[in-house]
């Protein structure tokens, strides 16, 4: 065992209870010869005008993580610096480290910094270990596929279930007799049902200090006031247990439901925790599977949750590393309009967008259907530049990271990658929003009108999009029925839709 002083650098989104960089350094040099460093980078925090609750979550979780490591007997250095580079340089110089060990970042630019910059910057050997926060780090279902080839998420999902034995019977068949119960999970939320809200956590002294610091720093979205998220592994596990006990059973049927009255509906709201390492994917899906085996939740809900965690989440991360860095600039629909001003304050007459944007400002959260079928749907139909929409999501959401948002927003939500992430653009008229939510109630626009002063902009823009891209959309078998609806529009109504859509987007 070497006596060489070793530094372990843990970025703030890698707060794993069993961290491979710590384990590797400790096995090589012994606990007394390693020092763990966590850097709070001012530049990273100021990269975008981030949701203040997200910054509180990360900084408080980092500080609690450092305290927990100290309790386990580790030497920990918490550094606030202008940048990661300066913080690490300061640490290495102060402690005379002879080697740095770190785990590969989930985000492209930070990983490139680890591989291409750190060694020359610090002048010491740098070991970058494989990332273990994602199951595809252990098993890649399609390791040799070209970036131009399409992989349907369902194939990926089934391969992951088989590999990790999730909801699989002894004979290899899927539990419940089917791989996917999505058709049963498309109900609107009845007015008589009031979902229980997620568990909240009273901020302790560490978190209260972070809240004060973040609000004093200024800038960003929203306020730290009202922060009540989990910031430790124990709290995140309590949040997981709360979801499994109180909301998982009804999660499936109402997975796509949107509600002005209930922020979370029956969703887990665990993504902020798994994305920074306070929870891990198999931990979450095993808990859900156990609930099914104990008859505490039906298969349609458990499978729907499993599909979100080891289906979409893993698939999105896999797609990110397959498609980067070209994904950043993808713009298959040639969208050129800037993001509307109301995205920064929610001041719009469209009740669905007003509600979702103001909710994001206040809490940093809306669930995935609101993001996909309200926000991204509108931006795709209105021709908003994908890069601007992506940056907006990165700034506004507490669970937003580059690896999450680029495939989800640019790829899936805006279909700007040419269909490499999703096989069709997720576009819909006001009829979908009206069916799946209560947002249209009391809205000044009529969800049944295509043109006219009271017509819902989603309708005008939806039909205009079909008209503009009719040839391209006809070639997509999944969009065929929607495009066939154009046959009901005569030349006069088509012209009226196009004129009104042009006026609408100019007003944006």
């Amino acid at each position: 065992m070497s006596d060489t002083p070793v530094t372990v650098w843990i970025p703030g989104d890698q707060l794993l209870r069993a961290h491979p960089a710590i384990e590797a350094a400790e096995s090589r040099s012994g606990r007394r010869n390693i020092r763990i460093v966590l850097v709070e980078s001012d530049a990273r925090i100021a990269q975008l005008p981030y949701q203040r609750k997200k910054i509180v979550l990360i900084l408080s979780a980092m500080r609690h993580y450092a305290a927990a490591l100290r309790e386990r007997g580790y030497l920990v250095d918490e550094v606030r610096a202008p940048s990661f580079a300066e913080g690490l340089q300061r640490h290495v110089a102060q402690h005379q480290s002879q080697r740095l060990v770190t785990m590969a970042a989930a985000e492209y630019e930070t990983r490139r910094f680890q591989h291409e910059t750190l060694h020359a910057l610090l002048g010491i050997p740098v070991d970058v270990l494989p990332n273990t926060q994602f199951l595809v780090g252990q098993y890649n279902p399609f390791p040799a596929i070209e970036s131009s080839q399409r992989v349907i998420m369902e194939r990926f999902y089934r391969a992951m279930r088989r590999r990790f034995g999730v909801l699989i019977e002894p004979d290899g068949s899927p539990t419940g007799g089917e791989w996917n119960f999505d058709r049963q999970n498309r109900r609107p939320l009845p007015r008589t049902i009031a979902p229980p809200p997620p568990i909240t956590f009273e901020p302790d002294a560490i978190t209260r200090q972070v809240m004060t610091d973040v609000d004093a720093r200024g800038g960003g979205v929203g306020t730290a006031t009202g922060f009540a998220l989990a910031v430790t592994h124990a709290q995140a596990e309590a949040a997981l247990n709360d979801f499994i006990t109180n909301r998982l059973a009804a999660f499936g049927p109402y997975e796509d439901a949107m509600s002005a009255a209930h922020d979370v509906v029956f969703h887990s709201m665990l993504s902020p925790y798994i994305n920074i390492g306070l929870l891990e994917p198999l931990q979450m899906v095993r808990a859900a599977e156990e609930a099914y085996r104990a008859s505490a939740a039906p298969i349609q809900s458990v499978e729907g949750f499993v599909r979100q965690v080891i289906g979409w989440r893993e698939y999105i991360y896999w797609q990110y590393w397959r498609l980067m860095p070209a994904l950043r600039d993808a713009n298959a629909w040639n969208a050129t309009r800037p993001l509307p001003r109301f995205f920064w304050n929610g001041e719009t007459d469209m009740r669905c967008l007003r509600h979702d944007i103001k909710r994001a400002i206040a809490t940093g959260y809306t669930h995935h259907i609101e993001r996909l079928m309200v926000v991204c749907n509108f931006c795709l139909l209105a021709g908003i530049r994908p890069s601007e929409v992506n940056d907006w999501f990165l700034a506004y959401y507490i669970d937003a990271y580059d690896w999450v948002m680029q495939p989800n927003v640019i790829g899936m939500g805006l279909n700007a990658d040419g269909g490499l992430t999703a096989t069709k653009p997720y576009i819909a008229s006001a009829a979908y929003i009206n069916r799946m939510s209560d947002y249209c109630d009391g809205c000044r626009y009529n969800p049944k009108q295509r043109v006219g002063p009271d017509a819902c902009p989603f309708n005008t823009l939806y039909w205009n999009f079909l008209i503009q891209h009719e040839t391209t959309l006809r070639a997509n078998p999944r969009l065929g029925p929607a495009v066939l609806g154009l046959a009901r529009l005569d030349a006069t109504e088509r012209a009226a839709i196009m004129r009104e859509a042009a006026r609408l987007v100019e007003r944006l």
Side-chain angles (χ1 to χ4, degrees):
M1 188 172 288
S2 170
D3 288 334
T4 302
V6 175
T7 283
V8 175
W9 174 38
I10 299 181
D13 59 350
Q14 293 185 359
L15 308 181
L16 298 169
R17 180 172 267 140
H19 199 288
I22 297 176
E23 294 173 351
E26 189 169 1
S27 65
R28 177 177 189 153
S29 301
R31 183 172 296 193
R32 67 187 181 86
N33 292 314
I34 69 171
R35 188 177 292 268
I36 300 165
V37 62
L38 292 96
V39 180
E40 298 180 6
S41 165
D42 291 338
R44 187 67 180 88
I45 291 172
Q47 190 171 350
L48 286 171
Y50 292 111
Q51 165 65 244
R52 292 188 188 181
K53 289 182 175 65
K54 176 184 178 179
I55 301 302
V56 173
L57 170 64
I58 295 172
L59 295 183
S60 180
M62 288 174 69
R63 295 179 191 181
H64 281 90
Y65 187 72
L69 288 173
R70 290 191 186 100
E71 287 181 5
R72 290 164 56 189
Y74 291 101
L75 297 173
V76 183
D77 189 16
E78 295 179 82
V79 179
R80 178 175 175 179
S83 66
F84 288 133
E86 292 177 68
L88 292 171
Q89 282 180 310
R90 185 193 307 166
H91 167 88
V92 167
Q94 180 180 350
H95 298 287
Q96 298 298 298
S97 299
Q98 298 302 302
R99 178 178 292 273
L100 184 136
V101 183
T102 188
M103 184 173 78
E107 297 189 336
Y108 184 87
E109 288 299 334
T110 307
R111 187 176 296 188
R112 191 167 74 164
F113 169 72
Q114 290 171 321
H115 281 289
E116 299 179 9
T117 306
L118 266 182
H119 170 65
L121 178 76
L122 302 177
I124 60 175
V126 174
D127 299 331
V128 182
L129 305 180
N131 187 293
T132 63
Q133 290 177 271
F134 300 85
L135 299 179
V136 287
Q138 303 172 41
Y139 171 69
N140 183 346
F142 308 103
I145 197 163
E146 297 290 331
S147 61
S148 60
Q149 290 180 266
R150 296 183 182 183
V151 175
I152 296 172
M153 196 283 288
E154 186 69 21
R155 285 183 59 208
F156 179 97
Y157 168 54
R158 294 183 186 189
M160 296 296 281
R161 287 231 336 239
R162 289 190 187 99
R163 173 63 178 79
F164 293 98
V166 178
L167 293 179
I168 297 292
E169 297 305 302
D171 64 359
S173 65
T175 299
E178 296 182 35
W179 287 100
N180 188 318
F181 292 86
D182 193 42
R183 291 181 182 177
Q184 299 180 31
N185 292 351
R186 299 172 183 171
R187 299 183 196 171
L189 185 70
R191 297 180 187 276
T192 55
I193 291 181
I199 189 173
T200 58
F201 302 92
E202 185 68 25
D204 64 6
I206 293 175
T207 301
R208 290 195 300 272
Q209 183 59 56
V210 174
M211 293 168 67
T212 299
D213 294 346
V214 168
D215 275 340
R217 187 191 300 260
V221 174
T223 174
T225 302
F227 179 88
L229 297 171
V231 293
T232 67
H233 293 100
Q235 288 180 343
E237 287 162 6
L240 171 61
N241 292 335
D242 173 75
F243 166 67
I244 297 295
T245 302
N246 297 316
R247 298 192 305 287
L248 174 61
F251 166 73
Y254 306 114
E255 183 178 351
D256 290 1
M258 298 176 283
S259 169
H262 306 289
D263 290 0
V264 180
V265 194
F266 289 99
H267 285 261
S268 73
M269 205 178 165
L270 297 174
S271 54
Y273 310 137
I274 188 174
N275 286 356
I276 62 173
L278 296 183
L279 293 174
E280 299 196 46
L282 281 181
Q283 173 190 15
M284 293 167 64
V285 299
R286 297 294 185 209
E289 186 176 29
E290 185 178 325
Y292 170 74
R293 304 291 183 195
S295 301
I299 187 62
Q300 70 187 90
S301 290
V302 173
E303 186 277 320
F305 178 67
V306 166
R307 183 163 13 97
Q308 282 195 341
V309 178
I310 67 169
W312 268 114
R313 182 176 185 270
E314 296 287 334
Y315 176 71
I316 285 296
Y317 181 76
W318 179 81
Q319 286 282 28
Y320 175 77
W321 284 103
R322 186 168 82 103
L323 301 178
M324 284 295 285
L327 183 60
R328 286 185 185 134
D329 301 317
N331 192 357
W333 297 99
N334 297 313
T336 59
R337 295 188 180 91
L339 196 70
R341 188 178 304 164
F342 67 75
F343 268 70
W344 303 105
N345 56 24
E347 297 301 330
T348 172
D349 287 341
M350 288 175 279
R351 187 168 182 256
C352 55
L353 274 168
R354 181 173 71 246
H355 192 88
D356 286 352
I357 292 170
K358 286 183 178 290
R359 177 179 280 169
I361 293 171
T363 69
Y365 179 84
T366 61
H367 70 68
H368 75 282
I369 292 298
E370 293 167 322
R371 302 185 200 196
L372 177 65
M373 300 308 299
V374 178
V375 179
C376 282
N377 182 25
F378 177 84
C379 291
L380 175 54
L381 296 177
I384 309 302
R385 279 192 290 266
S387 60
E388 293 196 26
V389 183
N390 183 68
D391 284 351
W392 181 85
F393 272 97
L394 280 171
Y396 271 57
Y397 283 84
I398 54 175
D399 56 2
Y401 297 88
D402 198 58
W403 67 265
V404 185
M405 288 304 156
Q406 294 217 37
N408 261 315
V409 174
I410 296 176
M412 184 185 181
L414 302 179
N415 196 238
D417 64 352
L420 291 172
T421 302
T423 55
K424 70 169 184 175
Y426 282 85
I427 53 174
S429 68
Y432 176 87
I433 297 171
N434 193 26
R435 182 171 69 254
M436 295 305 300
S437 78
D438 55 4
Y439 288 152
C440 297
D441 298 348
C443 182
R444 90 145 199 84
Y445 292 112
N446 188 333
K448 298 182 179 180
Q449 289 187 14
R450 281 196 282 256
V451 293
D454 295 326
C456 177
F458 274 94
N459 286 341
T460 308
L461 294 174
Y462 172 78
W463 288 100
N464 180 69
F465 189 88
L466 294 184
I467 293 167
Q468 283 186 318
H469 302 288
E470 183 172 1
T471 302
T472 302
L473 294 172
R474 280 187 184 279
N476 187 321
R478 296 191 69 192
L479 266 294
V483 182
L484 290 175
L486 287 172
R488 299 196 300 269
L489 306 183
D490 59 26
T492 301
E493 189 167 8
R494 283 185 177 228
I497 288 170
M498 294 174 71
R499 283 196 307 271
E500 191 152 317
R503 287 197 297 267
L504 196 158
V505 296
E506 282 302 315
R507 291 199 301 271
L508 293 178

